[in-house]
Amino acid sequence: MLLSEEISVNRQQGKHLLDDDSTEQVRSLLENDEFLFQQSLKYIEIGQQRMRSIFHVVKTVYLCLKSMDIRKKLTIPDLSIRALSGDLQDSTYMDDLLKGLKTLDSSKLKEVLAFMPQDLTDCPDFQEIKKDFEALVQTYQGTEPLRSEYDSHNSIVAATVVQQRVKLSKSKARLPQQNIEYTKVIDRVYALSEKYFVETLVRPQDLFLHEAFLLDMKNPLKEIFSPRPRFAIERALANPFDYLMSMSDRTEARISARQPATAILYQLYLESGALVNVYDLWQAFYAVFESEQGDACDERMTMTLFYRAVSELKALGMLKSSRKKVDHASKSAWIGL
């Protein structure tokens, strides 16, 4: 997040407190470190709860749309991405959900209400609506489920012919009293659900101290989901002690016998041209060990390390046999390219 955006969010929080006549709280936040720390913990917990509520709504939207059979290709990750970007509230998903909510019959409504988040179902208004709905269903004696006036079954389409043209007109059928009562229940569910979704589906980046519980930086995620293995391998071979622990207290030379054999050969490989004389490469490789070990240097063991290093570079696609000269190898990769 940009520093200017972070300052803007913090300034906005301060303005909210001042608008609520909480001047003493603002002063304490500026002057009292302990109070600032405790308030930070409080707001972080509030922010985390808001994030949990957002994901509960995402799950509710997914289950409801699937139950209504409105959206065929629908996934929770897609809804989550929209919610985290703050776009879910104004999306067509919410429009479809709220429109579909009005057309539910009593059997479907009972199923959809079970999908609602606990934050909403624990609300006294929701409990009252649920109680009235259950009482209405218990007193209903019909074989068909209750339907609201928004249901297509309660619409009448009339066709009239005017001057050899067919004119269609749509009107509402006369509803029984229980369906009228059910329509009122639907309207209350719709209004309460819409209000809850609007209040819950806020833009996460607008939450105070969201930097502490929300990772919205692209670079770390990009490194994880789109890694650069070649860059990592080249860096590890060129600077092995960036990854390995050195047992020596002194600063290592750029090429040292203490480094892995493949790393030594790779660094010598970087100093050569497109065609590498294998014997010259071996001589340079052996000189690294001989300069540090002196007479104790075992040529046969060093040659074994050399052959293994050549094989590993070949396996990594950095070295291949040359068709031009038998005693030469051809470079097939250049660092950074």
Side-chain angles (χ1 to χ4, degrees):
M1 182 181 185
L2 296 177
L3 180 60
S4 59
E5 294 178 356
E6 182 178 349
I7 293 174
S8 176
V9 172
N10 295 337
R11 184 184 293 117
Q12 186 178 6
Q13 178 66 18
K15 288 180 65 177
H16 287 327
L17 292 174
L18 291 174
D19 292 340
D20 295 337
D21 294 330
S22 302
T23 54
E24 289 299 325
Q25 185 175 354
V26 175
R27 182 182 296 276
S28 298
L29 288 171
L30 294 173
E31 298 177 353
N32 190 329
D33 291 342
E34 180 61 27
F35 181 77
L36 175 62
F37 177 70
Q38 295 299 329
Q39 288 296 303
S40 298
L41 294 179
K42 172 187 172 182
Y43 282 111
I44 288 173
E45 186 176 351
I46 292 173
Q48 290 175 327
Q49 180 58 46
R50 295 294 297 272
M51 293 302 300
R52 283 192 287 269
S53 298
I54 288 174
F55 284 111
H56 288 160
V57 169
V58 167
K59 183 178 179 181
T60 296
V61 173
Y62 174 78
L63 293 174
C64 289
L65 290 177
K66 283 292 185 181
S67 176
M68 297 175 188
D69 199 23
I70 295 177
R71 293 272 184 160
K72 299 294 183 182
K73 296 181 180 180
L74 181 68
T75 62
I76 288 183
D78 185 30
L79 293 174
S80 299
I81 291 172
R82 288 179 177 271
L84 290 174
S85 62
D87 297 332
L88 183 58
Q89 173 57 42
D90 298 324
S91 68
T92 56
Y93 295 106
M94 297 306 300
D95 292 339
D96 292 342
L97 173 60
L98 293 173
K99 288 178 181 177
L101 194 61
K102 281 193 168 186
T103 61
L104 294 177
D105 58 41
S106 56
S107 59
K108 271 291 185 181
L109 179 62
K110 185 177 181 180
E111 180 182 340
V112 167
L113 291 181
F115 297 146
M116 293 298 176
Q118 187 175 357
D119 293 345
L120 178 59
T121 57
D122 290 342
C123 173
D125 291 340
F126 184 89
Q127 293 292 335
E128 185 179 351
I129 294 173
K130 186 177 180 182
K131 182 180 178 181
D132 294 343
F133 171 63
E134 290 175 348
L136 182 62
V137 171
Q138 287 179 357
T139 57
Y140 180 63
Q141 302 296 328
T143 56
E144 293 291 325
L146 290 166
R147 301 183 187 277
S148 70
E149 66 178 39
Y150 310 108
D151 196 305
S152 58
H153 289 78
N154 291 324
S155 297
I156 299 175
V157 179
T160 56
V161 179
V162 180
Q163 296 180 353
Q164 297 182 348
R165 292 183 179 180
V166 178
K167 184 178 180 181
L168 299 177
S169 59
K170 184 181 289 187
S171 60
K172 296 290 183 181
R174 187 172 182 178
L175 300 178
Q177 183 60 34
Q178 286 182 313
N179 281 1
I180 294 176
E181 295 297 325
Y182 178 68
T183 301
K184 293 179 181 179
V185 170
I186 284 289
D187 289 337
R188 291 164 64 191
V189 171
Y190 177 90
L192 185 62
S193 300
E194 184 181 33
K195 179 183 177 183
Y196 174 77
F197 292 146
V198 169
E199 292 177 352
T200 304
L201 292 175
V202 297
R203 185 172 177 266
Q205 289 77 8
D206 293 337
L207 296 175
F208 185 50
L209 295 180
H210 74 273
E211 305 87 357
F213 55 83
L214 179 66
L215 176 64
D216 61 346
M217 297 177 64
K218 294 181 180 179
N219 287 339
L221 296 178
K222 185 178 179 181
E223 292 293 333
I224 293 172
F225 291 107
S226 301
R228 296 184 295 167
R230 176 176 172 176
F231 171 78
I233 292 172
E234 289 177 345
R235 185 170 184 269
L237 291 174
N239 302 283
F241 288 119
D242 287 354
Y243 301 88
L244 303 176
M245 183 180 295
S246 175
M247 302 303 293
S248 175
D249 294 334
R250 60 188 177 87
T251 304
E252 298 290 347
R254 179 165 179 79
I255 301 179
S256 168
R258 298 177 183 274
Q259 297 177 352
T262 308
I264 296 172
L265 187 62
Y266 176 74
Q267 293 170 61
L268 296 172
Y269 156 93
L270 293 178
E271 297 174 0
S272 61
L275 284 177
V276 186
N277 187 301
V278 178
Y279 180 76
D280 292 342
L281 196 60
W282 152 247
Q283 289 292 325
F285 183 85
Y286 179 72
V288 173
F289 288 86
E290 187 179 31
S291 63
E292 294 191 20
Q293 299 176 4
D295 295 337
C297 180
D298 187 343
E299 184 176 354
R300 293 176 64 86
M301 179 58 68
T302 306
M303 183 168 287
T304 302
L305 295 175
F306 175 75
Y307 279 133
R308 187 179 71 176
V310 170
S311 298
E312 290 182 353
L313 288 182
K314 188 175 181 181
L316 290 171
M318 297 180 178
L319 203 64
K320 63 181 180 179
S321 301
S322 174
R323 295 182 180 180
K324 296 181 179 180
K325 297 182 179 180
V326 179
D327 58 345
H328 281 60
S330 176
K331 291 175 68 173
S332 53
W334 280 260
I335 188 169
L337 298 178

